[in-house]
Amino acid sequence: MSRLRITLTLALAATLATACVSGEDATGQPAAENTGGQQTELRLDYAYYNPSSLVIREQKWLETELAAKNVKVTWTLSAGSNKANENLRGNVIDLGSTAGAAAFQARSNGTPIKAVGIFSQPEWAAVVVAKDSPITDVAGLKGKRVAATKGTDPYFFLLQSLHEAGLAATDVEVVNLQHADGKTALERGDVDAWAGLDPLMAQSQIDGGSKLIYRNAGFNSYGFLNAREAFITEHPDLVQATINAYEKARDWIQKNPDAAVALLSKESKVSPEVAKLVLTERTNLAVSPVPGADQRAVLERILPTLVEEKQVKTEQDATTALDSLFEPKFAEQAAKQ
């Protein structure tokens, strides 16, 4: 009998324990919510061409907001749109900042991303030559060596500029260098021109005397914040939190311009004069965060160039990608707040 009582007692304890695990405590009441589960990670990029990302990272708004939800926020530097797209494609980050043309090309070529927000309308790309260069226009680039980072807005800017001047990409020698290396190559005389990107371009202009021989704001394709499609499906709340933070950063920069200049200067290691030029003269933050008609119009103008220069597999791939690139609901929600 003693052994029987012990067996029954153990069985009863096991039953009660099972009831607790399945959602009830020993009294039959609902158990408290388990907040100690597996940690979720929100993986973001920051970039010197994306001042809002620098603000969000420094202010730690997302870390503070999401800590109670057991969400860890991590940051990866994007040296260019090409690197952001590589990290999105490789599942290294969940949301990344690129130029619109770069996001468009990536989706056209099979990267499963959607544009969930617009962080700026920058004039961050131009055609640059060294201070003593005799080249004065894009037509003068024929037969010359031009540094550019393929898969980024400066590269697409270069292609559009060449076409406008009656040239093709094959009329120049494109030297594929990351942005910082392109700047160095120009200033050393290793290349004849550079498809530049701010703030490096402004730094070369102010500190090195480099000349911007061709500017066209319409050839710049907006700043896109892109998310992996799987992450949008799995964690729409974290996508929304990120977009909300971007709107907060936009407002913060406009209300704290001197602090924003100081932050960009510190992070990108450029002078305050360079940072001020980038933020006050070449970055328009007063745009809708919702991806839509304005961005589509820019990408439609770029599409023929991408096809002609074989930057996408087929024109149909590009058209299909453009029709499915935008996911505006998160930015629409953020804009209401």
Side-chain angles (χ1 to χ4, degrees):
M1 288 296 293
S2 176
R3 290 180 180 178
L4 179 59
R5 288 193 187 97
I6 293 172
T7 302
L8 290 174
T9 300
L10 291 174
L12 178 59
T15 301
L16 289 173
T18 303
C20 292
V21 171
S22 63
E24 292 184 347
D25 64 16
T27 65
Q29 298 300 313
E33 181 180 352
N34 178 15
T35 59
Q38 185 176 1
Q39 188 174 58
T40 300
E41 193 169 17
L42 171 59
R43 302 170 302 173
L44 305 174
D45 81 337
Y46 68 103
Y48 306 140
Y49 54 82
N50 178 3
S52 292
S53 69
L54 304 180
V55 173
I56 297 168
R57 179 169 173 261
E58 184 194 52
Q59 295 292 326
K60 298 188 182 300
W61 291 324
L62 286 168
E63 287 86 343
T64 301
E65 175 188 347
L66 299 174
K69 299 179 180 179
N70 205 22
V71 176
K72 179 182 179 182
V73 180
T74 61
W75 296 89
T76 297
L77 175 66
S78 288
S81 295
N82 61 321
K83 295 300 183 182
N85 277 328
E86 285 176 14
N87 286 332
L88 285 165
R89 186 164 49 248
N91 194 19
V92 175
I93 58 177
D94 302 308
L95 291 98
S97 45
T98 74
F104 177 34
Q105 182 202 31
R107 185 166 179 86
S108 298
N109 291 329
T111 302
I113 57 172
K114 282 185 174 289
V116 293
I118 304 300
F119 60 81
S120 71
Q121 183 187 23
E123 188 196 354
W124 52 21
V127 177
V128 190
V129 297
K131 61 180 179 180
D132 297 325
S133 173
I135 301 172
T136 59
D137 56 26
V138 176
L141 297 178
K142 186 172 182 179
K144 304 297 185 182
R145 288 165 54 86
V146 184
T149 309
K150 291 186 176 182
T152 71
D153 230 23
Y155 178 64
F156 300 126
F157 184 96
L158 174 64
L159 295 182
Q160 294 175 86
S161 301
L162 290 171
H163 280 217
E164 185 180 63
L167 302 176
T170 53
D171 289 316
V172 301
E173 181 185 348
V174 176
V175 182
N176 186 25
L177 296 172
Q178 201 61 47
H179 299 298
D181 297 327
K183 171 181 175 291
T184 300
L186 177 74
E187 293 175 348
R188 286 180 177 174
D190 296 334
V191 295
D192 302 292
W194 170 46
L197 178 73
D198 276 336
L200 293 169
M201 182 171 68
Q203 183 182 42
S204 187
Q205 181 184 5
I206 292 176
D207 297 345
S210 299
K211 299 177 290 188
L212 277 56
I213 62 168
Y214 186 68
R215 297 172 64 176
N216 186 332
F219 283 0
N220 291 261
S221 63
Y222 286 85
F224 278 37
L225 187 66
N226 312 299
R228 295 186 300 107
E229 284 189 287
F231 192 76
I232 293 173
T233 300
E234 295 164 6
H235 299 288
D237 57 327
L238 298 183
V239 177
Q240 188 65 64
T242 304
I243 296 297
N244 293 347
Y246 264 86
E247 283 306 282
K248 190 174 181 179
R250 184 200 306 268
D251 183 63
W252 188 93
I253 292 172
Q254 293 173 324
K255 290 179 178 177
N256 301 276
D258 292 341
V261 166
L263 177 60
L264 177 59
S265 173
K266 180 187 74 172
E267 291 288 336
S268 61
K269 297 179 174 57
V270 300
S271 69
E273 182 183 6
V274 170
K276 184 175 181 180
L277 173 63
V278 171
L279 272 177
T280 63
E281 296 186 26
R282 297 181 186 167
T283 304
N284 177 19
L285 295 174
V287 294
S288 170
V290 182
D294 290 343
Q295 291 73 40
R296 184 182 178 96
V298 171
L299 299 181
E300 284 176 340
R301 291 198 300 270
I302 294 173
L303 193 155
T305 302
L306 296 185
V307 174
E308 186 173 343
E309 297 294 344
K310 296 181 173 56
Q311 296 300 304
V312 294
K313 295 176 182 177
T314 68
E315 183 174 354
Q316 184 57 54
D317 288 334
T319 301
T320 300
L322 184 55
D323 288 340
S324 59
L325 178 59
F326 301 146
E327 180 50 270
K329 64 182 180 182
F330 301 102
E332 289 171 345
Q333 179 62 33
K336 294 176 182 178
Q337 298 180 7

